[in-house]
Each structure stands twice: as C-alpha cells, then as structure tokens.
Amino acid sequence: MKLSQKPKIEIIAIGSELLSPFQEDTNSGYIAQRLNDLGMEVSFNTIVGDDRINLLQAVKTAIHRSELIIATGGLGPTQDDITREVFSEALGRKLVFNKDILREIEKRFKQRRLSMPEINKKQAFILEGAKALKNKNGTAPGILLDTEKKTIVLLPGPPHELIPMFEEYIFPLLSKSQTIHIHRKVLKVASLTESKVESLISDLYPQYPECEVSILAYPGQIEIHLKSRSGTGMSQAEKNVFLLEEEIFQKLKENIFSSTGEELEEVVGRLLVDQKKTLAVAESCTGGLLSSRLTNVPGSSNYFLLGVVAYSNQAKTNLLGVPSSLLEKHGAVSPQTARAMALGIRKMSKADYGIGITGIAGPSGGSAQKPVGLVYISLAEGNRAEVTKNIFPGNRNIVKFQSTQKAMDLLRRSLLNLAPQGYSSTNNLEET
Amino acid sequence: MKLSQKPKIEIIAIGSELLSPFQEDTNSGYIAQRLNDLGMEVSFNTIVGDDRINLLQAVKTAIHRSELIIATGGLGPTQDDITREVFSEALGRKLVFNKDILREIEKRFKQRRLSMPEINKKQAFILEGAKALKNKNGTAPGILLDTEKKTIVLLPGPPHELIPMFEEYIFPLLSKSQTIHIHRKVLKVASLTESKVESLISDLYPQYPECEVSILAYPGQIEIHLKSRSGTGMSQAEKNVFLLEEEIFQKLKENIFSSTGEELEEVVGRLLVDQKKTLAVAESCTGGLLSSRLTNVPGSSNYFLLGVVAYSNQAKTNLLGVPSSLLEKHGAVSPQTARAMALGIRKMSKADYGIGITGIAGPSGGSAQKPVGLVYISLAEGNRAEVTKNIFPGNRNIVKFQSTQKAMDLLRRSLLNLAPQGYSSTNNLEET
C-alpha cells in the first residue's frame, strides 16, 4: 500500500439498520480511532443503506474523492448483502470465484456439523486482482484491493469479525505506509468550569502554534485535547505536545486528574490502593450510581467496603444513624444530613473514608429554596466531615452523574492532600 | 416544503471532532429517528470535518444526489465554523446580512451583561432567499432554504440547541409533507435467548409479507423490530404491523415486557406503583447498578426503600444478617448466600420484595467450579425466596448489566404472577 502525504481517507458503513434508530455504527468510530493512533485522519465517513442505487452512488463518490476506502458490512450471504457486487460495478472489475475461500467456508460449516447452504457460495467471489482476507470468526472473507492510485478494503460488519481482521491485516499495512505523524493527548479536569479552564490556559496557545488545542465540556468533566502533526517522525509530534502539556500542568496542577485516559473512578481506585485506604458510601439522590461506578473498576473489592442507598428518611435514621430530629429540623436535603450520612456510613463500615450524598435529582421535588439539581456532598475521614453545596444543571441522569463526579473528585483531592475546589466547610454546623 | 414520493434525504454532520475518537455524532441519529417517526428514511449520512475542501466536496455531492439536506454544526462564530460560507459557494447563493438576527444576538449578550464580540456578527448572515430560524439556546440561528427542487436545513451542532429547533421548525414542516407512511414497533423480551425467540415466531413471518421483521440481540434483552410501509395512509401501515404483533403476542405472551418503548426498570416501577408494593435490594457483584437503574425512574422513591451494596463478607453478615457459618460453608457466591441476602434486606427494610445478587463479575476471581459470569439472583417475598443460577457471557460491565436485567425480570414475572423463566427453586436449601 502506497499512500500520499496527506491521503483522503473515507470510511463507508453499509447497512440500512445503521440509518435507523435501532443500531449504531460503531465500526467507523473504531476504525477512525485506530487510524488516529497511526496519525492518520479520516476525511469522510459515509453511512448508507442496503439500497443498490444509493450504495452505488456512495461508492462511486468515494472512489472519485478518496485514496483509501474502508467499507464495512454487506458481505454476508443473503440477498441484501450487495457490497461485493456494487464495488465490482463501480470499479468496473469482475468478481472472480476463489476455490480456497470456498473450502474455508465449507470447513467452517463442517466444524459445526452443518452442511453449507447454497447461498454462502457467493462469499467465495472476490474482486479481480484483490486479495482475500481470512475471517476466523465468520464466513465472510474480507477483500483488499491495492492498486497504484487507490486502496480499497472491504470488511464484514459484525464488530467481532471486523476488529480482529482490521488488526491482523489492515493496521500493519497502514502502519508501514504512514508519512505524517500525529500525536494526541487528552487532559481531564473535574470541579472546574470550562470558562475557568479556558481563562487559565488560553494565553499559552499562541506560544505553541504547532499544537492544536480544543476544550470539550461534558457534564462534570472538562477535557483539554492536544494534537500535533509532524512530517519528520512521531517523536517530533510527541515533543510538540509535551511542551505545551507541561505548561498546562504548571497552570492547572492537580486539577488535572488524568492524562492517560483513566476515568475518575480508576484514579480514585488507584490512590486508595496505593494508600491502603478503604471507602464506604451513603447515597440518596444518586441512587447507587456512585457505588456502581466505583465498583466498575476491577479489584475495587479491595477498597470498597459498603454502599447504602438510603432513599427513605427511615433508612437514613435506622441504618445510617442520621438523627430524626436533624431530618425534621433541616430536611433530608441539607448539608447537615449529607454530613451525618457520610459520618454514619464511615462509622458503621469502619472504612477510612465515608461519602454522603443527598439532593434533588428531579424532575419533580424541587422548590424555590431547594431547586432541582441542588446536591449536598459530604466527605468524612475519621470524625471530621466537610460538605459541598452544588447546583447541577441538566436532567435527572445528568444530575446523578455530575454528583458522582464531584464526590469522586472530592475524595481524590483529599487523598492527594489538596485544598478542595468549591468547598464550603460546614464543620461547625450544629449537630441536631 | 414539497417532497417527492420517496425523497433522497441526506444528513451531514460537520465537525472535525466527529471524526476523532473523542466526540460522537449523536445529532444524525436523533434526526434519523425523528424522520423515521414520520415514516421517512435517510438515504445518506455523511460526517465530514471543518476542512474547507472536503466540506465543499461533501456539500456538492449532497446537493447533487439528495432532495432534502439537513446539515448540523459549523454555524458558530469562530474561524473554523465555515458551514454558511461553504453552502453559499456550493449553491451559488450569496450570504446576506440580516438586521433582525443581529439584534437577537446582541440581545442574548446583553441579557448576560456582556457586549457582543465582533466575531459573532458573521452569524447574522444567511443564505439569500432563506429563512432564519431562531435559536433560544445559543447565538447561531438556523437556516432554512426551501426551493422548488431542494430543501436545505442548517442547524447548530450543540444538541441542546439543535433538538428544540428541529422540533419547533423542521419536524412540523416535514410532518405536513409526507406521502409514504412507515409504522414501526419494537417488542422487548428478557430472559429468553435470541434463538428461542426466533424459533417461536419465525414461522409467522411468511404469513405477513407486508411486515419486515428483524430480531436484535443485546446483552440481557432481545428486541423484535416490526416495520411496515404504506402509500395509502398511516392506518394501513399500523394495521399491517398490528396483525403480526398480535400473533407474536400469542406466541410469546408475557415474555414480552414492553411494546411501548419502556425499559425494564420503568415496567417494574409501574407495576410496583399499581400494586402499591415496595422493594429493597442487596447487591454484591452488581455493585449498585441495580439500585441505580431502578432509581433512574422518576418517582422511584415511592417504592424503592433501600439498597445495600455489600461487597465484603462482613457487610453481608453484620448488615444483612447472612450467617457467617453459611458464608463459610457455601461461599459468598452461592445460592444460599443470594437467598439470605434477599431475605435479609427484605426483613430489615420491611419492603414487600427483597432482591439479593451475588456472583463473579470478573475479570478475575473465577475458578473452574465458579467461573466468571456465575451470578445467583434471589427474589424474596415475605419469608419465601427463590434463586436462579445464571452464567452470563461478556466483560465485567456486561455481566453486571445482564444481572440487573434478570433480577428485574424475575420481579416483573412475580408481580404478574407468572411462572419464572429458568428458575431453579432452592427453597429447600439447608439454612446453614
């Protein structure tokens, strides 16, 4: 495979179901990511159904405008699998029968003690001059057509067939052909707003023109994306990113919780393991989401001792020891209740840290004084507990998610001995 | 807007980040779904970056091949927002300044006590002959160009801006213009395998040739998708689907938990509310995911009393009252432990139902006798409890998810007085 300096690359995902709300095209994203890993960028991603006329139109357009075309799907044995035929027509190349492929397909059926249905025979036809790519996980072989000007790759649609084939045949080929190197890095920040992050680092951008910066805001998380491109090797691209990254670290310091792709629950888990500390959580409005995220991490049983989802006041009192007088005086959604929950769960579990969360996730239950999105989060260590007051925007699930982000970031900052962000200490609250 | 009988519709999502692994294009799926709701199908979905040459190429192709084009993104004020200019060039239509739009944008800034940056002025330019669409949630107005042969819609990229604008301006227009009607229905099944579902209903398909059927398998859920198309009105399409749907219901009966789009947690929640029953859950390997899913439903505080995530044996014993002798004899992952957890959480919470889940979510912790994916789920009502043994395939998160599906389906079947699927009663287990 020979590619030009900055080749136009097109991914075509084929299948009518991909244009319906019922199935998402995950293959294109996967391939784009792997190309990105090699420093290659996708110019066009087309999704098109099994309709012959539309598919022919899309394939002809791709052949016209792109140098490398990777198409996925439509290589099965049934009538609506027309990818082979359409590429044959668009390229003006015959489909030729390949005995070896047929033998492979027949072997697959034999292993399952089945005889090969007649319709599978069509999978043994490939584009003239192309190479067949073996599929260990299905009957449809892939097809690689590598000509002077264009490279065309056809792969089956099911991800568990496509991914191993892409990794075995296509990735190594692309890897050899690359000339431009792109390096990327993602820095993740919690507990700061997008505009705060931007204001802290935006004066750095002009000093590093060889590095592209974009800031993406997600609920409860800001990501700083750095990208550099080099024609003289990957190490140059890496160096370009590294220099700016270092300066950003100087400005944001430990506000950056991850630069390696780790999620907040993984970072917190690693810190707890390192420091041999344990954790227990008492949730009200997050309803178990914090426990679930923390325990998504393999090995979390080493530090996660107990979670309690105490929706009712009775559970808060009986189980967590939140005094009913406190609930009556301040309400279930109050800094006092959050604090009592954190202290209560820590005490009953004998964990090093306790977290208490209480709030109003919505859509109903809000008032002028206590609006939807109001969430108190408390972190207890020993007999001390601190509380933050938050008002999160968004719907029920987004409020829940942001609450868990904030809770984990409070814990992270405590494990790192950092001053908490946006903390409103309520240590001196009356106890009852 | 006048559309032909089966118009070619193209969605173009614009933005380089959409071709990177870091941001997914969710707008196209949303628009496709809403078009589907109207019985319209998308012919092409193109994703293209902010590169001027590529975008121009993609827009020209779309204008050539499609009758209705809906493009999203690239309407912001910054330099890389070039959607307006590129459409202007591709169509050969000037951009004209619109005073009213400028006033709207200035007003937005004033409300936030900011003065409008000069760069935002470019958002007041729209295609000659087009209509500006007001954006209540951002500065970028949408653009609707409706000509004799083509209809072009440009909408801003942020979903919270795009969705309300699509609903207010575009959906009603499309709704008026439709001529072919497509009706869809999705029937959801839990606790049966894909092949079991297929074997029960596949002999029905040939009797209903006017209805397309596809069966999609997700972890813990099988979906039967029915689709019918009619040129003589929606009621004909609905009738086609209805007849087959009725027959499928005859075969699968209450194995179908939803035909209205409801998720399992919503179905279970509705049944609990209807029957004024309450629930508490004790989770080990699912780590809070069941509680979190159940409490994702607004109003769940009416029936969800308590959740406990008891990862450690100590928590199982101290909190849930699982005898330590039982844990020693049978192990934490055993039908006996699941049962004791379900009975324990029900008793302590005084809920009508208790659920206990214990298993091995992986990736480590498995053995030959107790492999990764082995999960015991128990449902207790009063002093009775039944247990199912399950071996779920997939990674940690998929095992967790399937466990919660199965647990909710057990509860659903109990609430409906149905015989459980795959139940292995362990009522007669020794207690210690």
mmCIF file of all heavy atoms in Angstrom, chain B residues 322-358:
data_model
loop_
_atom_site.group_PDB
_atom_site.id
_atom_site.type_symbol
_atom_site.label_atom_id
_atom_site.label_comp_id
_atom_site.label_asym_id
_atom_site.label_seq_id
_atom_site.Cartn_x
_atom_site.Cartn_y
_atom_site.Cartn_z
ATOM 1 N N VAL B 322 -26.585 -12.308 56.974
ATOM 2 C CA VAL B 322 -26.203 -13.587 56.376
ATOM 3 C C VAL B 322 -25.284 -14.291 57.382
ATOM 4 O O VAL B 322 -24.231 -13.751 57.721
ATOM 5 C CB VAL B 322 -25.454 -13.379 55.041
ATOM 6 C CG1 VAL B 322 -25.073 -14.716 54.429
ATOM 7 C CG2 VAL B 322 -26.280 -12.549 54.072
ATOM 8 N N PRO B 323 -25.671 -15.467 57.900
ATOM 9 C CA PRO B 323 -24.846 -16.124 58.929
ATOM 10 C C PRO B 323 -23.432 -16.401 58.418
ATOM 11 O O PRO B 323 -23.265 -16.848 57.274
ATOM 12 C CB PRO B 323 -25.580 -17.451 59.184
ATOM 13 C CG PRO B 323 -26.965 -17.251 58.658
ATOM 14 C CD PRO B 323 -26.853 -16.270 57.550
ATOM 15 N N SER B 324 -22.439 -16.122 59.239
ATOM 16 C CA SER B 324 -21.066 -16.330 58.769
ATOM 17 C C SER B 324 -20.802 -17.821 58.551
ATOM 18 O O SER B 324 -19.991 -18.198 57.704
ATOM 19 C CB SER B 324 -20.056 -15.716 59.739
ATOM 20 O OG SER B 324 -20.292 -16.183 61.034
ATOM 21 N N SER B 325 -21.525 -18.665 59.271
ATOM 22 C CA SER B 325 -21.372 -20.116 59.052
ATOM 23 C C SER B 325 -21.829 -20.488 57.642
ATOM 24 O O SER B 325 -21.230 -21.336 56.982
ATOM 25 C CB SER B 325 -22.184 -20.887 60.090
ATOM 26 O OG SER B 325 -23.551 -20.493 60.022
ATOM 27 N N LEU B 326 -22.874 -19.824 57.172
ATOM 28 C CA LEU B 326 -23.376 -20.083 55.822
ATOM 29 C C LEU B 326 -22.333 -19.650 54.788
ATOM 30 O O LEU B 326 -22.055 -20.368 53.817
ATOM 31 C CB LEU B 326 -24.687 -19.320 55.618
ATOM 32 C CG LEU B 326 -25.473 -19.526 54.322
ATOM 33 C CD1 LEU B 326 -26.958 -19.249 54.560
ATOM 34 C CD2 LEU B 326 -24.966 -18.633 53.207
ATOM 35 N N LEU B 327 -21.742 -18.480 55.019
ATOM 36 C CA LEU B 327 -20.714 -17.989 54.094
ATOM 37 C C LEU B 327 -19.527 -18.939 54.063
ATOM 38 O O LEU B 327 -18.966 -19.218 52.999
ATOM 39 C CB LEU B 327 -20.259 -16.580 54.494
ATOM 40 C CG LEU B 327 -21.268 -15.452 54.228
ATOM 41 C CD1 LEU B 327 -20.835 -14.165 54.925
ATOM 42 C CD2 LEU B 327 -21.434 -15.215 52.738
ATOM 43 N N GLU B 328 -19.158 -19.442 55.246
ATOM 44 C CA GLU B 328 -18.016 -20.367 55.305
ATOM 45 C C GLU B 328 -18.305 -21.671 54.576
ATOM 46 O O GLU B 328 -17.492 -22.187 53.832
ATOM 47 C CB GLU B 328 -17.674 -20.693 56.769
ATOM 48 C CG GLU B 328 -16.678 -19.720 57.375
ATOM 49 C CD GLU B 328 -16.691 -19.793 58.886
ATOM 50 O OE1 GLU B 328 -16.764 -20.924 59.429
ATOM 51 O OE2 GLU B 328 -16.650 -18.712 59.518
ATOM 52 N N LYS B 329 -19.521 -22.180 54.792
ATOM 53 C CA LYS B 329 -19.868 -23.472 54.224
ATOM 54 C C LYS B 329 -20.046 -23.418 52.709
ATOM 55 O O LYS B 329 -19.524 -24.264 51.979
ATOM 56 C CB LYS B 329 -21.150 -23.989 54.891
ATOM 57 C CG LYS B 329 -21.471 -25.434 54.540
ATOM 58 C CD LYS B 329 -22.573 -25.986 55.431
ATOM 59 C CE LYS B 329 -23.046 -27.343 54.920
ATOM 60 N NZ LYS B 329 -24.288 -27.752 55.556
ATOM 61 N N HIS B 330 -20.777 -22.417 52.241
ATOM 62 C CA HIS B 330 -21.154 -22.393 50.826
ATOM 63 C C HIS B 330 -20.384 -21.358 49.998
ATOM 64 O O HIS B 330 -20.406 -21.395 48.771
ATOM 65 C CB HIS B 330 -22.650 -22.133 50.688
ATOM 66 C CG HIS B 330 -23.504 -23.140 51.387
ATOM 67 N ND1 HIS B 330 -23.665 -24.420 50.922
ATOM 68 C CD2 HIS B 330 -24.217 -23.053 52.551
ATOM 69 C CE1 HIS B 330 -24.460 -25.089 51.752
ATOM 70 N NE2 HIS B 330 -24.793 -24.288 52.764
ATOM 71 N N GLY B 331 -19.751 -20.429 50.665
ATOM 72 C CA GLY B 331 -19.057 -19.358 49.947
ATOM 73 C C GLY B 331 -19.977 -18.177 49.703
ATOM 74 O O GLY B 331 -21.205 -18.298 49.741
ATOM 75 N N ALA B 332 -19.361 -17.002 49.447
ATOM 76 C CA ALA B 332 -20.149 -15.791 49.231
ATOM 77 C C ALA B 332 -20.933 -15.885 47.932
ATOM 78 O O ALA B 332 -22.010 -15.321 47.792
ATOM 79 C CB ALA B 332 -19.237 -14.560 49.214
ATOM 80 N N VAL B 333 -20.366 -16.587 46.938
ATOM 81 C CA VAL B 333 -21.084 -16.776 45.670
ATOM 82 C C VAL B 333 -21.747 -18.149 45.696
ATOM 83 O O VAL B 333 -21.144 -19.170 45.369
ATOM 84 C CB VAL B 333 -20.135 -16.641 44.464
ATOM 85 C CG1 VAL B 333 -20.895 -16.873 43.161
ATOM 86 C CG2 VAL B 333 -19.481 -15.258 44.456
ATOM 87 N N SER B 334 -22.976 -18.156 46.163
ATOM 88 C CA SER B 334 -23.709 -19.419 46.304
ATOM 89 C C SER B 334 -25.198 -19.090 46.331
ATOM 90 O O SER B 334 -25.585 -17.970 46.662
ATOM 91 C CB SER B 334 -23.314 -20.117 47.616
ATOM 92 O OG SER B 334 -23.688 -19.317 48.730
ATOM 93 N N PRO B 335 -26.031 -20.070 45.967
ATOM 94 C CA PRO B 335 -27.476 -19.808 46.033
ATOM 95 C C PRO B 335 -27.921 -19.498 47.449
ATOM 96 O O PRO B 335 -28.803 -18.666 47.652
ATOM 97 C CB PRO B 335 -28.094 -21.121 45.513
ATOM 98 C CG PRO B 335 -27.009 -22.145 45.529
ATOM 99 C CD PRO B 335 -25.715 -21.407 45.446
ATOM 100 N N GLN B 336 -27.271 -20.145 48.417
ATOM 101 C CA GLN B 336 -27.648 -19.929 49.818
ATOM 102 C C GLN B 336 -27.411 -18.469 50.230
ATOM 103 O O GLN B 336 -28.209 -17.869 50.936
ATOM 104 C CB GLN B 336 -26.843 -20.861 50.734
ATOM 105 C CG GLN B 336 -27.186 -22.343 50.605
ATOM 106 C CD GLN B 336 -26.472 -23.043 49.455
ATOM 107 O OE1 GLN B 336 -25.739 -22.413 48.683
ATOM 108 N NE2 GLN B 336 -26.693 -24.345 49.324
ATOM 109 N N THR B 337 -26.268 -17.919 49.797
ATOM 110 C CA THR B 337 -25.963 -16.533 50.158
ATOM 111 C C THR B 337 -26.929 -15.563 49.469
ATOM 112 O O THR B 337 -27.418 -14.612 50.085
ATOM 113 C CB THR B 337 -24.505 -16.198 49.783
ATOM 114 O OG1 THR B 337 -23.638 -17.070 50.506
ATOM 115 C CG2 THR B 337 -24.162 -14.758 50.133
ATOM 116 N N ALA B 338 -27.206 -15.811 48.192
ATOM 117 C CA ALA B 338 -28.143 -14.938 47.477
ATOM 118 C C ALA B 338 -29.492 -14.897 48.198
ATOM 119 O O ALA B 338 -30.090 -13.839 48.405
ATOM 120 C CB ALA B 338 -28.333 -15.429 46.039
ATOM 121 N N ARG B 339 -29.923 -16.091 48.586
ATOM 122 C CA ARG B 339 -31.213 -16.214 49.269
ATOM 123 C C ARG B 339 -31.208 -15.468 50.605
ATOM 124 O O ARG B 339 -32.137 -14.720 50.920
ATOM 125 C CB ARG B 339 -31.469 -17.705 49.502
ATOM 126 C CG ARG B 339 -32.807 -18.041 50.059
ATOM 127 C CD ARG B 339 -33.008 -19.566 50.058
ATOM 128 N NE ARG B 339 -34.362 -19.870 50.469
ATOM 129 C CZ ARG B 339 -34.741 -20.002 51.731
ATOM 130 N NH1 ARG B 339 -33.866 -19.854 52.708
ATOM 131 N NH2 ARG B 339 -36.011 -20.268 52.024
ATOM 132 N N ALA B 340 -30.144 -15.660 51.367
ATOM 133 C CA ALA B 340 -30.058 -14.999 52.679
ATOM 134 C C ALA B 340 -29.984 -13.480 52.516
ATOM 135 O O ALA B 340 -30.524 -12.725 53.333
ATOM 136 C CB ALA B 340 -28.844 -15.521 53.450
ATOM 137 N N MET B 341 -29.325 -13.021 51.456
ATOM 138 C CA MET B 341 -29.263 -11.575 51.198
ATOM 139 C C MET B 341 -30.651 -11.017 50.878
ATOM 140 O O MET B 341 -31.038 -9.955 51.369
ATOM 141 C CB MET B 341 -28.306 -11.282 50.023
ATOM 142 C CG MET B 341 -26.825 -11.482 50.356
ATOM 143 S SD MET B 341 -25.763 -11.439 48.863
ATOM 144 C CE MET B 341 -25.867 -9.697 48.406
ATOM 145 N N ALA B 342 -31.391 -11.754 50.043
ATOM 146 C CA ALA B 342 -32.725 -11.283 49.655
ATOM 147 C C ALA B 342 -33.656 -11.236 50.859
ATOM 148 O O ALA B 342 -34.386 -10.262 51.071
ATOM 149 C CB ALA B 342 -33.298 -12.187 48.557
ATOM 150 N N LEU B 343 -33.618 -12.311 51.645
ATOM 151 C CA LEU B 343 -34.465 -12.350 52.844
ATOM 152 C C LEU B 343 -34.028 -11.290 53.849
ATOM 153 O O LEU B 343 -34.868 -10.628 54.465
ATOM 154 C CB LEU B 343 -34.400 -13.751 53.479
ATOM 155 C CG LEU B 343 -35.116 -14.863 52.698
ATOM 156 C CD1 LEU B 343 -34.732 -16.235 53.244
ATOM 157 C CD2 LEU B 343 -36.646 -14.665 52.757
ATOM 158 N N GLY B 344 -32.714 -11.115 53.988
ATOM 159 C CA GLY B 344 -32.184 -10.159 54.959
ATOM 160 C C GLY B 344 -32.573 -8.718 54.628
ATOM 161 O O GLY B 344 -33.030 -7.974 55.503
ATOM 162 N N ILE B 345 -32.407 -8.327 53.363
ATOM 163 C CA ILE B 345 -32.701 -6.936 53.009
ATOM 164 C C ILE B 345 -34.208 -6.680 53.079
ATOM 165 O O ILE B 345 -34.648 -5.588 53.449
ATOM 166 C CB ILE B 345 -32.144 -6.579 51.598
ATOM 167 C CG1 ILE B 345 -32.190 -5.065 51.360
ATOM 168 C CG2 ILE B 345 -32.916 -7.268 50.478
ATOM 169 C CD1 ILE B 345 -31.095 -4.309 51.980
ATOM 170 N N ARG B 346 -34.993 -7.706 52.751
ATOM 171 C CA ARG B 346 -36.444 -7.529 52.824
ATOM 172 C C ARG B 346 -36.880 -7.306 54.271
ATOM 173 O O ARG B 346 -37.646 -6.401 54.568
ATOM 174 C CB ARG B 346 -37.161 -8.757 52.253
ATOM 175 C CG ARG B 346 -38.600 -8.488 51.857
ATOM 176 C CD ARG B 346 -39.487 -9.700 52.016
ATOM 177 N NE ARG B 346 -39.600 -10.128 53.401
ATOM 178 C CZ ARG B 346 -40.291 -9.505 54.355
ATOM 179 N NH1 ARG B 346 -40.951 -8.402 54.074
ATOM 180 N NH2 ARG B 346 -40.316 -9.972 55.583
ATOM 181 N N LYS B 347 -36.287 -8.116 55.150
ATOM 182 C CA LYS B 347 -36.668 -8.037 56.561
ATOM 183 C C LYS B 347 -36.260 -6.690 57.167
ATOM 184 O O LYS B 347 -37.058 -6.024 57.819
ATOM 185 C CB LYS B 347 -35.976 -9.181 57.306
ATOM 186 C CG LYS B 347 -36.638 -9.555 58.611
ATOM 187 C CD LYS B 347 -36.044 -10.850 59.146
ATOM 188 C CE LYS B 347 -36.322 -11.010 60.634
ATOM 189 N NZ LYS B 347 -35.497 -12.083 61.203
ATOM 190 N N MET B 348 -35.028 -6.282 56.917
ATOM 191 C CA MET B 348 -34.551 -5.052 57.564
ATOM 192 C C MET B 348 -35.247 -3.818 57.009
ATOM 193 O O MET B 348 -35.388 -2.818 57.703
ATOM 194 C CB MET B 348 -33.029 -4.924 57.470
ATOM 195 C CG MET B 348 -32.489 -4.509 56.131
ATOM 196 S SD MET B 348 -30.677 -4.462 56.147
ATOM 197 C CE MET B 348 -30.389 -2.918 57.000
ATOM 198 N N SER B 349 -35.665 -3.863 55.734
ATOM 199 C CA SER B 349 -36.299 -2.689 55.129
ATOM 200 C C SER B 349 -37.815 -2.712 55.283
ATOM 201 O O SER B 349 -38.479 -1.722 55.040
ATOM 202 C CB SER B 349 -35.971 -2.649 53.638
ATOM 203 O OG SER B 349 -36.598 -3.751 52.986
ATOM 204 N N LYS B 350 -38.340 -3.885 55.663
ATOM 205 C CA LYS B 350 -39.802 -4.095 55.727
ATOM 206 C C LYS B 350 -40.470 -3.876 54.375
ATOM 207 O O LYS B 350 -41.652 -3.525 54.291
ATOM 208 C CB LYS B 350 -40.439 -3.205 56.792
ATOM 209 C CG LYS B 350 -39.874 -3.462 58.197
ATOM 210 C CD LYS B 350 -40.740 -2.794 59.258
ATOM 211 C CE LYS B 350 -40.193 -3.034 60.657
ATOM 212 N NZ LYS B 350 -38.907 -2.311 60.894
ATOM 213 N N ALA B 351 -39.704 -4.051 53.295
ATOM 214 C CA ALA B 351 -40.292 -3.935 51.956
ATOM 215 C C ALA B 351 -41.079 -5.197 51.628
ATOM 216 O O ALA B 351 -40.913 -6.230 52.278
ATOM 217 C CB ALA B 351 -39.187 -3.728 50.923
ATOM 218 N N ASP B 352 -41.943 -5.115 50.614
ATOM 219 C CA ASP B 352 -42.679 -6.309 50.191
ATOM 220 C C ASP B 352 -41.761 -7.302 49.492
ATOM 221 O O ASP B 352 -41.893 -8.502 49.655
ATOM 222 C CB ASP B 352 -43.814 -5.903 49.235
ATOM 223 C CG ASP B 352 -44.825 -5.015 49.926
ATOM 224 O OD1 ASP B 352 -45.392 -5.459 50.937
ATOM 225 O OD2 ASP B 352 -45.005 -3.865 49.491
ATOM 226 N N TYR B 353 -40.844 -6.758 48.677
ATOM 227 C CA TYR B 353 -39.920 -7.616 47.941
ATOM 228 C C TYR B 353 -38.471 -7.325 48.330
ATOM 229 O O TYR B 353 -38.107 -6.156 48.553
ATOM 230 C CB TYR B 353 -40.047 -7.373 46.433
ATOM 231 C CG TYR B 353 -41.266 -7.988 45.800
ATOM 232 C CD1 TYR B 353 -42.388 -7.212 45.525
ATOM 233 C CD2 TYR B 353 -41.295 -9.340 45.468
ATOM 234 C CE1 TYR B 353 -43.515 -7.768 44.934
ATOM 235 C CE2 TYR B 353 -42.417 -9.902 44.877
ATOM 236 C CZ TYR B 353 -43.527 -9.113 44.613
ATOM 237 O OH TYR B 353 -44.625 -9.676 44.020
ATOM 238 N N GLY B 354 -37.668 -8.360 48.346
ATOM 239 C CA GLY B 354 -36.233 -8.186 48.522
ATOM 240 C C GLY B 354 -35.502 -8.904 47.397
ATOM 241 O O GLY B 354 -35.927 -9.981 46.969
ATOM 242 N N ILE B 355 -34.446 -8.297 46.890
ATOM 243 C CA ILE B 355 -33.635 -8.963 45.863
ATOM 244 C C ILE B 355 -32.211 -9.101 46.392
ATOM 245 O O ILE B 355 -31.672 -8.147 46.976
ATOM 246 C CB ILE B 355 -33.628 -8.161 44.536
ATOM 247 C CG1 ILE B 355 -35.020 -8.187 43.885
ATOM 248 C CG2 ILE B 355 -32.580 -8.711 43.560
ATOM 249 C CD1 ILE B 355 -35.139 -7.330 42.633
ATOM 250 N N GLY B 356 -31.627 -10.273 46.196
ATOM 251 C CA GLY B 356 -30.234 -10.493 46.570
ATOM 252 C C GLY B 356 -29.449 -10.970 45.356
ATOM 253 O O GLY B 356 -29.913 -11.839 44.621
ATOM 254 N N ILE B 357 -28.290 -10.358 45.118
ATOM 255 C CA ILE B 357 -27.460 -10.749 43.963
ATOM 256 C C ILE B 357 -26.040 -10.980 44.420
ATOM 257 O O ILE B 357 -25.443 -10.118 45.071
ATOM 258 C CB ILE B 357 -27.430 -9.642 42.880
ATOM 259 C CG1 ILE B 357 -28.845 -9.261 42.443
ATOM 260 C CG2 ILE B 357 -26.614 -10.086 41.676
ATOM 261 C CD1 ILE B 357 -28.889 -8.185 41.363
ATOM 262 N N THR B 358 -25.499 -12.141 44.089
ATOM 263 C CA THR B 358 -24.082 -12.389 44.374
ATOM 264 C C THR B 358 -23.483 -13.197 43.227
ATOM 265 O O THR B 358 -24.134 -14.088 42.694
ATOM 266 C CB THR B 358 -23.899 -13.111 45.731
ATOM 267 O OG1 THR B 358 -22.496 -13.318 45.950
ATOM 268 C CG2 THR B 358 -24.618 -14.450 45.783
#
